[in-house]
Amino acid sequence: MAEETKTLTDLAQLGGPGGAPAEAPLPEPRIDALGRAYATGKRKNAVARVWLKLGAGKITVNGREIATYFARPTLRMVINQPLQAANRAGQFDVMCTVTGGGLSGQAGAVRHGISRALSLFEPALRPTLKKGGFLTRDARVVERKKYGKRKARRSFQFSKR
C-alpha cells in the first residue's frame, strides 16, 4: 500500500494548491449543427420544446410571435426572466412549440425550457440560473378528485332536512 495520510494537513495538501480541491472543468456546450441548443421544459400539464440560437432576441411560440400567443404582459415577463437573470436579453432567438395545459402552465414550461437550453448553450450560466430557481421543475400539479367528494377536497353540502 502507498503512503498513508494520518493528519488533516496531509489531506489538505492532497487537495490541490492552498488546500482547496481542484475546480471541475465546465462541460462542453451542447449545440447542434445549426448552432442551436435544444431543451424540454415542463410545468403542470404543459410541455415545451425549446430551440435557442444566437440572434436578435426574437421569441416565437408555435409559429406566432410571443406578443400574440401570450397576450398578458405577466406571462411574457415570466418567459423573459431567465434571459434577464443571465444578462442575455436580446442576444438569443428562441423558437418553441408548446402543447397541453393552459396559458400559465405553458408560459412556465417555456421558461423552464429556455433556462435548460441556456445552461446547455453556455454551461458557465448554470450557477446563475440554478440560484434563481429557473432550472428546477415545478412539481405542483392538480390534485385528483376523490370518491365521495364534490371536488378534490370539497364535500357535498350537508342538509339536516
Side-chain angles (χ1 to χ4, degrees), residues 92-157:
F92 288 101
D93 285 342
V94 179
M95 201 281 286
C96 56
T97 57
V98 191
T99 57
L103 284 178
S104 176
Q106 287 184 352
V110 171
R111 177 179 108 157
H112 188 226
I114 289 173
S115 305
R116 290 176 73 177
L118 260 177
S119 69
L120 292 176
F121 199 93
E122 287 186 57
L125 294 177
R126 185 171 170 80
T128 307
L129 295 170
K130 187 110 173 122
K131 186 179 176 189
F134 300 116
L135 296 175
T136 306
R137 197 261 199 233
D138 193 350
R140 295 177 296 171
V141 291
V142 178
E143 191 176 348
R144 76 172 191 90
K145 183 196 173 298
K146 275 72 166 192
Y147 173 75
K149 299 279 190 178
R150 190 167 161 194
K151 290 169 49 176
R153 298 184 180 200
R154 170 90 164 91
S155 297
F156 292 104
Q157 186 169 347

Side-chain angles (χ1 to χ4, degrees), residues 3-15:
E3 300 176 24
E4 290 187 35
T5 55
K6 296 187 179 181
T7 64
L8 289 176
T9 54
D10 295 339
L11 287 174
Q13 291 170 356
L14 288 176

Side-chain angles (χ1 to χ4, degrees), residues 43-44 70 72 75 102-109:
R43 169 86 168 91
K44 293 185 178 180
F70 294 109
R72 278 189 255 155
L75 297 179
L103 284 178
S104 176
Q106 287 184 352

